[in-house]
Amino acid sequence: QASSFILEKNGFSKFTKNHLKYQQKFNHIPVYGNYVFLHTKEGLVDHITGHWAKNIDIPFGESLDSLTIVNRTKEIFSEDQTSDITSKDFEINHFEKIIIDKSFPKTSGYYRLAYDVHVSSLSDQRFYQYIIDATNGNVIFSQNLECTYF
């Protein structure tokens, strides 16, 4: 089992500089927040920046199935709402199995499987992100994705 880095974005600045963004994956699963940026100048590597996990050691066998995670997310999302959520009102906008640091949002160097789920409520225009532990369904992280600055 080894990490791989998949090109996610190729951006240019000026005519001679190129910035390549690579997402770290382990066993084809993205490592959340871990990217390497390769900066080139006139076709040669100028410098490398970013953050990547060096020693990932997690059990892949014990993981809740996708339906259980969806139902758990709906339950959590309903608790965050002022009204009951119906299946018509609950929409999943993003659903991805990820590897995340056990101390997220801090870093410890130890990792676990999780799901990154973005959901919305169509009736009251609420948008949330939940990162849910893949082994027990507990919420690791949540945030409101609604932009209120405009």
Side-chain angles (χ1 to χ4, degrees):
Q1 297 176 348
S3 285
S4 58
F5 293 88
I6 307 302
L7 180 63
E8 192 170 273
K9 185 176 181 181
N10 186 351
F12 294 92
S13 65
K14 302 186 182 177
F15 292 107
T16 60
K17 291 189 176 184
N18 191 12
H19 309 280
L20 303 158
K21 179 181 179 182
Y22 292 89
Q23 164 76 61
Q24 182 179 12
K25 293 193 175 190
F26 186 78
N27 270 9
H28 308 287
I29 301 171
V31 183
Y32 190 81
N34 287 13
Y35 298 94
V36 172
F37 300 89
L38 182 68
H39 308 275
T40 64
K41 185 176 181 180
E42 297 176 355
L44 300 174
V45 174
D46 185 46
H47 61 283
I48 299 171
T49 59
H51 176 78
W52 59 91
K54 290 146 186 81
N55 298 310
I56 298 175
D57 183 25
I58 55 175
F60 285 96
E62 298 180 23
S63 179
L64 298 173
D65 64 89
S66 298
L67 182 59
T68 301
I69 295 296
V70 167
N71 289 334
R72 178 69 177 123
T73 304
K74 188 173 182 179
E75 176 185 311
I76 297 162
F77 188 62
S78 296
E79 292 170 3
D80 287 342
Q81 301 298 306
T82 55
S83 59
D84 290 334
I85 300 297
T86 65
S87 57
K88 289 182 180 180
D89 195 39
F90 176 79
E91 185 174 310
I92 294 179
N93 310 106
H94 174 83
F95 187 89
E96 182 176 36
K97 185 181 271 190
I98 61 171
I99 295 171
I100 194 165
D101 194 290
K102 284 186 175 183
S103 297
F104 183 83
K106 297 177 181 179
T107 57
S108 67
Y110 298 98
Y111 297 88
R112 61 179 157 185
L113 280 175
Y115 286 89
D116 180 21
V117 187
H118 299 198
V119 297
S120 60
S121 167
L122 303 175
S123 64
D124 58 5
Q125 298 297 306
R126 294 190 180 212
F127 304 96
Y128 283 84
Q129 174 190 23
Y130 297 102
I131 298 178
I132 300 174
D133 190 302
T135 58
N136 59 27
N138 291 337
V139 177
I140 297 169
F141 176 80
S142 68
Q143 68 178 339
N144 185 338
L145 298 175
E146 183 180 1
C147 180
T148 58
Y149 294 105
F150 297 103

PDB file of all heavy atoms in Angstrom, residues 5-35:
ATOM      1  N   PHE A   5      -0.007  10.499  -5.994  1.00  0.00           N
ATOM      2  CA  PHE A   5      -0.371  11.903  -6.111  1.00  0.00           C
ATOM      3  C   PHE A   5      -0.989  12.104  -7.487  1.00  0.00           C
ATOM      4  O   PHE A   5      -0.357  11.839  -8.505  1.00  0.00           O
ATOM      5  CB  PHE A   5       0.853  12.799  -5.907  1.00  0.00           C
ATOM      6  CG  PHE A   5       1.372  12.744  -4.501  1.00  0.00           C
ATOM      7  CD1 PHE A   5       2.293  11.782  -4.116  1.00  0.00           C
ATOM      8  CD2 PHE A   5       0.920  13.636  -3.547  1.00  0.00           C
ATOM      9  CE1 PHE A   5       2.763  11.714  -2.818  1.00  0.00           C
ATOM     10  CE2 PHE A   5       1.366  13.579  -2.234  1.00  0.00           C
ATOM     11  CZ  PHE A   5       2.298  12.619  -1.873  1.00  0.00           C
ATOM     12  N   ILE A   6      -2.230  12.560  -7.508  1.00  0.00           N
ATOM     13  CA  ILE A   6      -2.995  12.699  -8.740  1.00  0.00           C
ATOM     14  C   ILE A   6      -3.115  14.191  -9.082  1.00  0.00           C
ATOM     15  O   ILE A   6      -3.539  14.992  -8.244  1.00  0.00           O
ATOM     16  CB  ILE A   6      -4.406  12.080  -8.573  1.00  0.00           C
ATOM     17  CG1 ILE A   6      -4.316  10.642  -8.056  1.00  0.00           C
ATOM     18  CG2 ILE A   6      -5.196  12.172  -9.877  1.00  0.00           C
ATOM     19  CD1 ILE A   6      -3.528   9.699  -8.913  1.00  0.00           C
ATOM     20  N   LEU A   7      -2.766  14.529 -10.318  1.00  0.00           N
ATOM     21  CA  LEU A   7      -2.861  15.916 -10.758  1.00  0.00           C
ATOM     22  C   LEU A   7      -4.310  16.369 -10.701  1.00  0.00           C
ATOM     23  O   LEU A   7      -5.194  15.755 -11.277  1.00  0.00           O
ATOM     24  CB  LEU A   7      -2.325  16.074 -12.180  1.00  0.00           C
ATOM     25  CG  LEU A   7      -2.360  17.487 -12.756  1.00  0.00           C
ATOM     26  CD1 LEU A   7      -1.460  18.429 -11.952  1.00  0.00           C
ATOM     27  CD2 LEU A   7      -1.944  17.472 -14.215  1.00  0.00           C
ATOM     28  N   GLU A   8      -4.539  17.441  -9.964  1.00  0.00           N
ATOM     29  CA  GLU A   8      -5.886  17.954  -9.791  1.00  0.00           C
ATOM     30  C   GLU A   8      -6.088  19.287 -10.510  1.00  0.00           C
ATOM     31  O   GLU A   8      -7.186  19.601 -10.941  1.00  0.00           O
ATOM     32  CB  GLU A   8      -6.173  18.124  -8.296  1.00  0.00           C
ATOM     33  CG  GLU A   8      -7.619  18.368  -7.985  1.00  0.00           C
ATOM     34  CD  GLU A   8      -7.875  18.278  -6.500  1.00  0.00           C
ATOM     35  OE1 GLU A   8      -8.113  17.160  -6.013  1.00  0.00           O
ATOM     36  OE2 GLU A   8      -7.845  19.322  -5.830  1.00  0.00           O
ATOM     37  N   LYS A   9      -5.026  20.067 -10.618  1.00  0.00           N
ATOM     38  CA  LYS A   9      -5.154  21.375 -11.250  1.00  0.00           C
ATOM     39  C   LYS A   9      -3.823  21.800 -11.842  1.00  0.00           C
ATOM     40  O   LYS A   9      -2.778  21.597 -11.243  1.00  0.00           O
ATOM     41  CB  LYS A   9      -5.619  22.408 -10.222  1.00  0.00           C
ATOM     42  CG  LYS A   9      -5.901  23.769 -10.801  1.00  0.00           C
ATOM     43  CD  LYS A   9      -6.444  24.711  -9.746  1.00  0.00           C
ATOM     44  CE  LYS A   9      -6.738  26.064 -10.358  1.00  0.00           C
ATOM     45  NZ  LYS A   9      -7.238  27.009  -9.358  1.00  0.00           N
ATOM     46  N   ASN A  10      -3.897  22.405 -13.023  1.00  0.00           N
ATOM     47  CA  ASN A  10      -2.712  22.917 -13.698  1.00  0.00           C
ATOM     48  C   ASN A  10      -2.968  24.395 -13.952  1.00  0.00           C
ATOM     49  O   ASN A  10      -3.813  24.751 -14.761  1.00  0.00           O
ATOM     50  CB  ASN A  10      -2.490  22.161 -15.009  1.00  0.00           C
ATOM     51  CG  ASN A  10      -1.203  22.541 -15.693  1.00  0.00           C
ATOM     52  OD1 ASN A  10      -0.524  23.481 -15.293  1.00  0.00           O
ATOM     53  ND2 ASN A  10      -0.862  21.823 -16.743  1.00  0.00           N
ATOM     54  N   GLY A  11      -2.266  25.254 -13.216  1.00  0.00           N
ATOM     55  CA  GLY A  11      -2.509  26.691 -13.333  1.00  0.00           C
ATOM     56  C   GLY A  11      -1.270  27.438 -13.767  1.00  0.00           C
ATOM     57  O   GLY A  11      -0.155  27.108 -13.378  1.00  0.00           O
ATOM     58  N   PHE A  12      -1.479  28.446 -14.576  1.00  0.00           N
ATOM     59  CA  PHE A  12      -0.370  29.255 -15.075  1.00  0.00           C
ATOM     60  C   PHE A  12      -0.420  30.642 -14.453  1.00  0.00           C
ATOM     61  O   PHE A  12      -1.488  31.194 -14.235  1.00  0.00           O
ATOM     62  CB  PHE A  12      -0.454  29.391 -16.606  1.00  0.00           C
ATOM     63  CG  PHE A  12      -0.255  28.104 -17.328  1.00  0.00           C
ATOM     64  CD1 PHE A  12      -1.336  27.306 -17.664  1.00  0.00           C
ATOM     65  CD2 PHE A  12       1.013  27.665 -17.655  1.00  0.00           C
ATOM     66  CE1 PHE A  12      -1.165  26.107 -18.321  1.00  0.00           C
ATOM     67  CE2 PHE A  12       1.204  26.463 -18.313  1.00  0.00           C
ATOM     68  CZ  PHE A  12       0.108  25.688 -18.651  1.00  0.00           C
ATOM     69  N   SER A  13       0.752  31.183 -14.162  1.00  0.00           N
ATOM     70  CA  SER A  13       0.866  32.580 -13.776  1.00  0.00           C
ATOM     71  C   SER A  13       2.040  33.146 -14.562  1.00  0.00           C
ATOM     72  O   SER A  13       3.108  32.550 -14.616  1.00  0.00           O
ATOM     73  CB  SER A  13       1.091  32.733 -12.276  1.00  0.00           C
ATOM     74  OG  SER A  13       2.317  32.191 -11.884  1.00  0.00           O
ATOM     75  N   LYS A  14       1.805  34.236 -15.185  1.00  0.00           N
ATOM     76  CA  LYS A  14       2.767  34.841 -16.111  1.00  0.00           C
ATOM     77  C   LYS A  14       2.965  33.866 -17.272  1.00  0.00           C
ATOM     78  O   LYS A  14       2.243  32.901 -17.434  1.00  0.00           O
ATOM     79  CB  LYS A  14       4.058  35.207 -15.413  1.00  0.00           C
ATOM     80  CG  LYS A  14       3.846  36.178 -14.254  1.00  0.00           C
ATOM     81  CD  LYS A  14       5.141  36.645 -13.676  1.00  0.00           C
ATOM     82  CE  LYS A  14       4.868  37.571 -12.497  1.00  0.00           C
ATOM     83  NZ  LYS A  14       6.047  38.003 -11.840  1.00  0.00           N
ATOM     84  N   PHE A  15       3.944  34.082 -18.068  1.00  0.00           N
ATOM     85  CA  PHE A  15       4.132  33.222 -19.243  1.00  0.00           C
ATOM     86  C   PHE A  15       5.110  32.076 -18.988  1.00  0.00           C
ATOM     87  O   PHE A  15       5.123  31.097 -19.687  1.00  0.00           O
ATOM     88  CB  PHE A  15       4.625  34.049 -20.428  1.00  0.00           C
ATOM     89  CG  PHE A  15       3.579  35.002 -20.922  1.00  0.00           C
ATOM     90  CD1 PHE A  15       3.690  36.353 -20.689  1.00  0.00           C
ATOM     91  CD2 PHE A  15       2.468  34.530 -21.609  1.00  0.00           C
ATOM     92  CE1 PHE A  15       2.713  37.237 -21.143  1.00  0.00           C
ATOM     93  CE2 PHE A  15       1.490  35.406 -22.058  1.00  0.00           C
ATOM     94  CZ  PHE A  15       1.622  36.766 -21.820  1.00  0.00           C
ATOM     95  N   THR A  16       5.921  32.194 -17.952  1.00  0.00           N
ATOM     96  CA  THR A  16       6.964  31.190 -17.754  1.00  0.00           C
ATOM     97  C   THR A  16       6.754  30.340 -16.503  1.00  0.00           C
ATOM     98  O   THR A  16       7.537  29.444 -16.261  1.00  0.00           O
ATOM     99  CB  THR A  16       8.339  31.875 -17.660  1.00  0.00           C
ATOM    100  OG1 THR A  16       8.333  32.775 -16.550  1.00  0.00           O
ATOM    101  CG2 THR A  16       8.664  32.619 -18.943  1.00  0.00           C
ATOM    102  N   LYS A  17       5.725  30.634 -15.704  1.00  0.00           N
ATOM    103  CA  LYS A  17       5.508  29.893 -14.461  1.00  0.00           C
ATOM    104  C   LYS A  17       4.270  29.009 -14.558  1.00  0.00           C
ATOM    105  O   LYS A  17       3.268  29.405 -15.119  1.00  0.00           O
ATOM    106  CB  LYS A  17       5.368  30.853 -13.281  1.00  0.00           C
ATOM    107  CG  LYS A  17       6.662  31.560 -12.938  1.00  0.00           C
ATOM    108  CD  LYS A  17       6.515  32.313 -11.657  1.00  0.00           C
ATOM    109  CE  LYS A  17       7.855  32.934 -11.281  1.00  0.00           C
ATOM    110  NZ  LYS A  17       7.795  33.597  -9.993  1.00  0.00           N
ATOM    111  N   ASN A  18       4.396  27.819 -13.984  1.00  0.00           N
ATOM    112  CA  ASN A  18       3.304  26.864 -13.967  1.00  0.00           C
ATOM    113  C   ASN A  18       3.189  26.315 -12.544  1.00  0.00           C
ATOM    114  O   ASN A  18       4.190  26.096 -11.874  1.00  0.00           O
ATOM    115  CB  ASN A  18       3.599  25.734 -14.959  1.00  0.00           C
ATOM    116  CG  ASN A  18       2.396  24.853 -15.202  1.00  0.00           C
ATOM    117  OD1 ASN A  18       1.292  25.178 -14.824  1.00  0.00           O
ATOM    118  ND2 ASN A  18       2.629  23.731 -15.846  1.00  0.00           N
ATOM    119  N   HIS A  19       1.955  26.106 -12.080  1.00  0.00           N
ATOM    120  CA  HIS A  19       1.710  25.598 -10.732  1.00  0.00           C
ATOM    121  C   HIS A  19       0.813  24.369 -10.846  1.00  0.00           C
ATOM    122  O   HIS A  19      -0.329  24.463 -11.280  1.00  0.00           O
ATOM    123  CB  HIS A  19       1.047  26.672  -9.871  1.00  0.00           C
ATOM    124  CG  HIS A  19       1.768  27.973  -9.906  1.00  0.00           C
ATOM    125  ND1 HIS A  19       2.893  28.216  -9.156  1.00  0.00           N
ATOM    126  CD2 HIS A  19       1.557  29.098 -10.638  1.00  0.00           C
ATOM    127  CE1 HIS A  19       3.328  29.437  -9.405  1.00  0.00           C
ATOM    128  NE2 HIS A  19       2.541  29.996 -10.301  1.00  0.00           N
ATOM    129  N   LEU A  20       1.336  23.222 -10.454  1.00  0.00           N
ATOM    130  CA  LEU A  20       0.622  21.955 -10.552  1.00  0.00           C
ATOM    131  C   LEU A  20       0.194  21.523  -9.152  1.00  0.00           C
ATOM    132  O   LEU A  20       1.025  21.443  -8.243  1.00  0.00           O
ATOM    133  CB  LEU A  20       1.510  20.891 -11.184  1.00  0.00           C
ATOM    134  CG  LEU A  20       2.057  21.271 -12.565  1.00  0.00           C
ATOM    135  CD1 LEU A  20       3.299  20.485 -12.879  1.00  0.00           C
ATOM    136  CD2 LEU A  20       1.002  21.045 -13.602  1.00  0.00           C
ATOM    137  N   LYS A  21      -1.099  21.215  -8.990  1.00  0.00           N
ATOM    138  CA  LYS A  21      -1.641  20.809  -7.695  1.00  0.00           C
ATOM    139  C   LYS A  21      -1.944  19.311  -7.742  1.00  0.00           C
ATOM    140  O   LYS A  21      -2.722  18.852  -8.570  1.00  0.00           O
ATOM    141  CB  LYS A  21      -2.922  21.594  -7.399  1.00  0.00           C
ATOM    142  CG  LYS A  21      -3.587  21.230  -6.096  1.00  0.00           C
ATOM    143  CD  LYS A  21      -4.869  22.055  -5.930  1.00  0.00           C
ATOM    144  CE  LYS A  21      -5.590  21.715  -4.655  1.00  0.00           C
ATOM    145  NZ  LYS A  21      -6.845  22.487  -4.536  1.00  0.00           N
ATOM    146  N   TYR A  22      -1.332  18.560  -6.822  1.00  0.00           N
ATOM    147  CA  TYR A  22      -1.515  17.114  -6.748  1.00  0.00           C
ATOM    148  C   TYR A  22      -2.200  16.737  -5.435  1.00  0.00           C
ATOM    149  O   TYR A  22      -1.767  17.144  -4.361  1.00  0.00           O
ATOM    150  CB  TYR A  22      -0.165  16.402  -6.814  1.00  0.00           C
ATOM    151  CG  TYR A  22       0.522  16.512  -8.142  1.00  0.00           C
ATOM    152  CD1 TYR A  22       1.373  17.579  -8.425  1.00  0.00           C
ATOM    153  CD2 TYR A  22       0.330  15.555  -9.130  1.00  0.00           C
ATOM    154  CE1 TYR A  22       2.014  17.683  -9.650  1.00  0.00           C
ATOM    155  CE2 TYR A  22       0.967  15.644 -10.361  1.00  0.00           C
ATOM    156  CZ  TYR A  22       1.804  16.718 -10.604  1.00  0.00           C
ATOM    157  OH  TYR A  22       2.428  16.807 -11.817  1.00  0.00           O
ATOM    158  N   GLN A  23      -3.257  15.943  -5.526  1.00  0.00           N
ATOM    159  CA  GLN A  23      -3.970  15.420  -4.353  1.00  0.00           C
ATOM    160  C   GLN A  23      -3.327  14.098  -3.939  1.00  0.00           C
ATOM    161  O   GLN A  23      -3.156  13.211  -4.770  1.00  0.00           O
ATOM    162  CB  GLN A  23      -5.437  15.182  -4.703  1.00  0.00           C
ATOM    163  CG  GLN A  23      -6.204  14.305  -3.718  1.00  0.00           C
ATOM    164  CD  GLN A  23      -6.570  15.011  -2.442  1.00  0.00           C
ATOM    165  OE1 GLN A  23      -7.277  15.986  -2.461  1.00  0.00           O
ATOM    166  NE2 GLN A  23      -6.084  14.501  -1.316  1.00  0.00           N
ATOM    167  N   GLN A  24      -3.001  13.976  -2.649  1.00  0.00           N
ATOM    168  CA  GLN A  24      -2.477  12.706  -2.165  1.00  0.00           C
ATOM    169  C   GLN A  24      -3.619  11.712  -2.021  1.00  0.00           C
ATOM    170  O   GLN A  24      -4.694  12.035  -1.511  1.00  0.00           O
ATOM    171  CB  GLN A  24      -1.782  12.869  -0.818  1.00  0.00           C
ATOM    172  CG  GLN A  24      -1.177  11.566  -0.319  1.00  0.00           C
ATOM    173  CD  GLN A  24      -0.462  11.698   1.005  1.00  0.00           C
ATOM    174  OE1 GLN A  24      -0.568  12.697   1.701  1.00  0.00           O
ATOM    175  NE2 GLN A  24       0.279  10.660   1.365  1.00  0.00           N
ATOM    176  N   LYS A  25      -3.368  10.488  -2.485  1.00  0.00           N
ATOM    177  CA  LYS A  25      -4.317   9.393  -2.310  1.00  0.00           C
ATOM    178  C   LYS A  25      -3.572   8.205  -1.725  1.00  0.00           C
ATOM    179  O   LYS A  25      -2.392   8.011  -1.985  1.00  0.00           O
ATOM    180  CB  LYS A  25      -4.976   9.020  -3.637  1.00  0.00           C
ATOM    181  CG  LYS A  25      -5.880  10.122  -4.162  1.00  0.00           C
ATOM    182  CD  LYS A  25      -6.761   9.651  -5.269  1.00  0.00           C
ATOM    183  CE  LYS A  25      -7.710  10.774  -5.654  1.00  0.00           C
ATOM    184  NZ  LYS A  25      -8.740  10.306  -6.562  1.00  0.00           N
ATOM    185  N   PHE A  26      -4.288   7.427  -0.941  1.00  0.00           N
ATOM    186  CA  PHE A  26      -3.750   6.204  -0.369  1.00  0.00           C
ATOM    187  C   PHE A  26      -4.770   5.112  -0.638  1.00  0.00           C
ATOM    188  O   PHE A  26      -5.936   5.248  -0.245  1.00  0.00           O
ATOM    189  CB  PHE A  26      -3.501   6.375   1.130  1.00  0.00           C
ATOM    190  CG  PHE A  26      -2.818   5.212   1.768  1.00  0.00           C
ATOM    191  CD1 PHE A  26      -1.445   5.039   1.627  1.00  0.00           C
ATOM    192  CD2 PHE A  26      -3.536   4.280   2.493  1.00  0.00           C
ATOM    193  CE1 PHE A  26      -0.809   3.949   2.212  1.00  0.00           C
ATOM    194  CE2 PHE A  26      -2.909   3.193   3.082  1.00  0.00           C
ATOM    195  CZ  PHE A  26      -1.540   3.033   2.938  1.00  0.00           C
ATOM    196  N   ASN A  27      -4.371   4.056  -1.333  1.00  0.00           N
ATOM    197  CA  ASN A  27      -5.313   3.014  -1.765  1.00  0.00           C
ATOM    198  C   ASN A  27      -6.470   3.626  -2.552  1.00  0.00           C
ATOM    199  O   ASN A  27      -7.620   3.244  -2.363  1.00  0.00           O
ATOM    200  CB  ASN A  27      -5.847   2.223  -0.578  1.00  0.00           C
ATOM    201  CG  ASN A  27      -4.992   1.031  -0.266  1.00  0.00           C
ATOM    202  OD1 ASN A  27      -3.905   0.871  -0.813  1.00  0.00           O
ATOM    203  ND2 ASN A  27      -5.458   0.198   0.635  1.00  0.00           N
ATOM    204  N   HIS A  28      -6.177   4.601  -3.370  1.00  0.00           N
ATOM    205  CA  HIS A  28      -7.149   5.294  -4.226  1.00  0.00           C
ATOM    206  C   HIS A  28      -8.148   6.147  -3.451  1.00  0.00           C
ATOM    207  O   HIS A  28      -9.148   6.592  -4.001  1.00  0.00           O
ATOM    208  CB  HIS A  28      -7.891   4.308  -5.134  1.00  0.00           C
ATOM    209  CG  HIS A  28      -6.985   3.413  -5.908  1.00  0.00           C
ATOM    210  ND1 HIS A  28      -6.243   3.859  -6.982  1.00  0.00           N
ATOM    211  CD2 HIS A  28      -6.663   2.110  -5.748  1.00  0.00           C
ATOM    212  CE1 HIS A  28      -5.526   2.872  -7.450  1.00  0.00           C
ATOM    213  NE2 HIS A  28      -5.754   1.789  -6.726  1.00  0.00           N
ATOM    214  N   ILE A  29      -7.904   6.382  -2.168  1.00  0.00           N
ATOM    215  CA  ILE A  29      -8.780   7.212  -1.336  1.00  0.00           C
ATOM    216  C   ILE A  29      -8.059   8.523  -1.046  1.00  0.00           C
ATOM    217  O   ILE A  29      -6.906   8.509  -0.586  1.00  0.00           O
ATOM    218  CB  ILE A  29      -9.137   6.497  -0.016  1.00  0.00           C
ATOM    219  CG1 ILE A  29      -9.839   5.165  -0.313  1.00  0.00           C
ATOM    220  CG2 ILE A  29     -10.006   7.381   0.864  1.00  0.00           C
ATOM    221  CD1 ILE A  29     -10.036   4.287   0.903  1.00  0.00           C
ATOM    222  N   PRO A  30      -8.703   9.678  -1.289  1.00  0.00           N
ATOM    223  CA  PRO A  30      -8.038  10.957  -1.030  1.00  0.00           C
ATOM    224  C   PRO A  30      -7.691  11.140   0.447  1.00  0.00           C
ATOM    225  O   PRO A  30      -8.469  10.777   1.324  1.00  0.00           O
ATOM    226  CB  PRO A  30      -9.085  12.007  -1.448  1.00  0.00           C
ATOM    227  CG  PRO A  30     -10.110  11.279  -2.222  1.00  0.00           C
ATOM    228  CD  PRO A  30     -10.051   9.841  -1.822  1.00  0.00           C
ATOM    229  N   VAL A  31      -6.525  11.694   0.690  1.00  0.00           N
ATOM    230  CA  VAL A  31      -6.111  12.060   2.044  1.00  0.00           C
ATOM    231  C   VAL A  31      -6.510  13.526   2.211  1.00  0.00           C
ATOM    232  O   VAL A  31      -5.947  14.410   1.568  1.00  0.00           O
ATOM    233  CB  VAL A  31      -4.606  11.848   2.268  1.00  0.00           C
ATOM    234  CG1 VAL A  31      -4.234  12.178   3.711  1.00  0.00           C
ATOM    235  CG2 VAL A  31      -4.210  10.415   1.924  1.00  0.00           C
ATOM    236  N   TYR A  32      -7.504  13.766   3.037  1.00  0.00           N
ATOM    237  CA  TYR A  32      -8.154  15.066   3.149  1.00  0.00           C
ATOM    238  C   TYR A  32      -7.159  16.172   3.514  1.00  0.00           C
ATOM    239  O   TYR A  32      -6.427  16.069   4.488  1.00  0.00           O
ATOM    240  CB  TYR A  32      -9.262  14.988   4.200  1.00  0.00           C
ATOM    241  CG  TYR A  32     -10.158  16.187   4.237  1.00  0.00           C
ATOM    242  CD1 TYR A  32     -11.190  16.324   3.326  1.00  0.00           C
ATOM    243  CD2 TYR A  32      -9.989  17.177   5.183  1.00  0.00           C
ATOM    244  CE1 TYR A  32     -12.034  17.412   3.354  1.00  0.00           C
ATOM    245  CE2 TYR A  32     -10.824  18.274   5.226  1.00  0.00           C
ATOM    246  CZ  TYR A  32     -11.849  18.386   4.306  1.00  0.00           C
ATOM    247  OH  TYR A  32     -12.678  19.484   4.336  1.00  0.00           O
ATOM    248  N   GLY A  33      -7.138  17.207   2.691  1.00  0.00           N
ATOM    249  CA  GLY A  33      -6.297  18.378   2.955  1.00  0.00           C
ATOM    250  C   GLY A  33      -4.834  18.206   2.599  1.00  0.00           C
ATOM    251  O   GLY A  33      -4.037  19.102   2.850  1.00  0.00           O
ATOM    252  N   ASN A  34      -4.473  17.071   2.033  1.00  0.00           N
ATOM    253  CA  ASN A  34      -3.070  16.826   1.710  1.00  0.00           C
ATOM    254  C   ASN A  34      -2.822  16.996   0.221  1.00  0.00           C
ATOM    255  O   ASN A  34      -3.293  16.206  -0.598  1.00  0.00           O
ATOM    256  CB  ASN A  34      -2.650  15.425   2.163  1.00  0.00           C
ATOM    257  CG  ASN A  34      -2.523  15.342   3.671  1.00  0.00           C
ATOM    258  OD1 ASN A  34      -2.954  16.221   4.391  1.00  0.00           O
ATOM    259  ND2 ASN A  34      -1.928  14.271   4.146  1.00  0.00           N
ATOM    260  N   TYR A  35      -2.066  18.033  -0.086  1.00  0.00           N
ATOM    261  CA  TYR A  35      -1.741  18.379  -1.469  1.00  0.00           C
ATOM    262  C   TYR A  35      -0.264  18.699  -1.579  1.00  0.00           C
ATOM    263  O   TYR A  35       0.350  19.176  -0.628  1.00  0.00           O
ATOM    264  CB  TYR A  35      -2.524  19.623  -1.928  1.00  0.00           C
ATOM    265  CG  TYR A  35      -4.010  19.440  -1.910  1.00  0.00           C
ATOM    266  CD1 TYR A  35      -4.768  19.825  -0.816  1.00  0.00           C
ATOM    267  CD2 TYR A  35      -4.666  18.891  -3.002  1.00  0.00           C
ATOM    268  CE1 TYR A  35      -6.144  19.658  -0.809  1.00  0.00           C
ATOM    269  CE2 TYR A  35      -6.038  18.718  -3.002  1.00  0.00           C
ATOM    270  CZ  TYR A  35      -6.771  19.115  -1.900  1.00  0.00           C
ATOM    271  OH  TYR A  35      -8.124  18.948  -1.895  1.00  0.00           O
TER     272      TYR A  35
END
